[in-house]
Amino acid sequence: MTDTSQTAFLNAAREARTDIVHHTLSHTLAPMLKSIFDRTNHSPITSFEDSINDFLLFLYHGPEYMRKACMPPFSILAKIGKESSVFSWIASAYRIRLLQMNGMPFPAGKVEYTEVQADGETPADCSYDLCHAIALCVQSCNPTGRFIILRWLLTVLEPGNAIPQSPMAEASGLSPVNYRVMTKRRKEQLSAILQQCRSGTHMSLDKRFRQMELDLNANLDNLYETLLKYYDDCISELDGSAQIRKLIGELSQEAGHQLHST
């Protein structure tokens, strides 16, 4: 399903409705952009409001080559391949703009605003698809399924922080065999959803998991910590939450740092 808020944003940009574009940046997307600002801005004289106003002007005029060519307002947004990727692109472009304002080099792997890959997808498209797929997979699972897929994602990101499956299966009330089978099924489910997203099929998220998607997109540089927050919330929903927290606490104390489960 199409995200109508992203479509409306693009339509407003095509019509040069600066008021709507500004309202979207300063209100609708404010939580996501403020999170990026807090992590990225290092200028003591730049406020969040100043950065939004600067970013609005950048979107309006575009990079230097667009200004020299006298292209229409917000032409840079026309470079985005898919409407469903607009807000993900906004997050990436805003972060790059902040780095430019701070006189800092781009992080490794970052590209210019309008660089497009051969298949028409930008890096922002790829990150949006992944974050959307994770949120959609978590939304579609029961509490145990959510716990398992989030646990697996954390292990992929930080294998050194993982607790072995057998004690975690026991703490969560599952046999080791069932735990492995459920992990395999959740991984396959996430993979299938991601393939659907990459083919252009994006399904709707309820408010809770739409916020999760925004959080993941806004915190790609700190994906482990962001997922860990949702993982902790997920544990609270489980019948065996007390046993799981006890196991994590005991093994974390032994290891000398915070662990999750594998």
Side-chain angles (χ1 to χ4, degrees):
M1 296 179 63
T2 302
D3 185 335
T4 55
S5 61
Q6 299 192 81
T7 302
F9 178 80
L10 270 188
N11 288 338
R14 295 184 185 110
E15 297 169 6
R17 290 293 305 275
T18 306
D19 56 332
I20 296 178
V21 174
H22 182 264
H23 184 272
T24 302
L25 296 175
S26 59
H27 291 81
T28 307
L29 300 181
M32 176 180 71
L33 298 180
K34 184 61 165 61
S35 176
I36 296 173
F37 178 85
D38 290 341
R39 291 182 292 108
T40 306
N41 182 67
H42 299 287
S43 171
I45 62 174
T46 301
S47 68
F48 175 63
E49 291 74 18
D50 289 338
S51 74
I52 291 298
N53 290 333
D54 173 85
F55 187 53
L56 175 66
L57 289 173
F58 170 76
L59 294 178
Y60 185 91
H61 295 291
E64 184 177 0
Y65 80 90
M66 287 187 174
R67 294 195 296 271
K68 288 182 177 179
C70 297
M71 297 181 70
F74 301 111
S75 291
I76 191 173
L77 295 175
K79 297 287 185 178
I80 302 174
K82 294 189 297 185
E83 290 187 357
S84 60
S85 298
V86 172
F87 289 166
S88 176
W89 184 94
I90 289 290
S92 297
Y94 175 69
R95 182 169 180 271
I96 293 174
R97 186 64 180 172
L98 282 175
L99 291 172
Q100 289 180 332
M101 291 173 66
N102 282 266
M104 298 172 65
F106 297 151
K110 285 293 181 184
V111 297
E112 290 291 345
Y113 293 102
T114 56
E115 181 175 335
V116 179
Q117 297 174 348
D119 60 1
E121 288 193 336
T122 66
D125 292 329
C126 300
S127 64
Y128 173 83
D129 287 342
L130 177 60
C131 295
H132 183 78
I134 291 173
L136 192 62
C137 183
V138 174
Q139 175 180 268
S140 65
C141 292
N142 61 24
T144 301
R146 292 172 186 170
F147 168 74
I148 285 176
I149 191 60
L150 288 173
R151 176 273 317 155
W152 178 75
L153 287 167
L154 289 169
T155 299
V156 170
L157 292 168
E158 293 287 349
N161 290 346
I163 295 172
Q165 276 192 358
S166 292
M168 184 51 65
E170 182 179 352
S172 57
L174 297 170
S175 70
V177 172
N178 284 340
Y179 197 91
R180 287 195 296 272
V181 170
M182 292 181 69
T183 298
K184 182 176 183 295
R185 289 175 177 171
R186 296 291 77 77
K187 288 163 59 177
E188 291 173 346
Q189 180 183 11
L190 177 59
S191 177
I193 293 173
L194 182 56
Q195 290 304 314
Q196 289 179 337
C197 292
R198 287 174 173 169
S199 69
T201 302
H202 291 84
M203 290 166 278
S204 61
L205 293 162
D206 63 29
K207 183 177 180 180
R208 174 185 176 185
F209 295 101
R210 172 61 174 157
Q211 185 59 54
M212 179 183 187
E213 178 190 61
L214 290 173
D215 287 347
L216 295 177
N217 265 305
N219 295 283
L220 285 173
D221 291 342
N222 297 286
L223 192 57
Y224 179 84
E225 289 78 7
T226 306
L227 286 171
L228 195 62
K229 178 187 71 173
Y230 284 95
Y231 173 75
D232 187 64
D233 291 342
C234 181
I235 291 176
S236 300
E237 299 176 354
L238 297 174
D239 292 337
S241 60
Q243 293 91 326
I244 293 173
R245 292 191 188 283
K246 180 181 178 182
L247 176 65
I248 293 175
E250 290 175 350
L251 295 185
S252 294
Q253 187 174 8
E254 290 180 11
H257 62 278
Q258 183 63 41
L259 302 176
H260 63 270
S261 65
T262 186

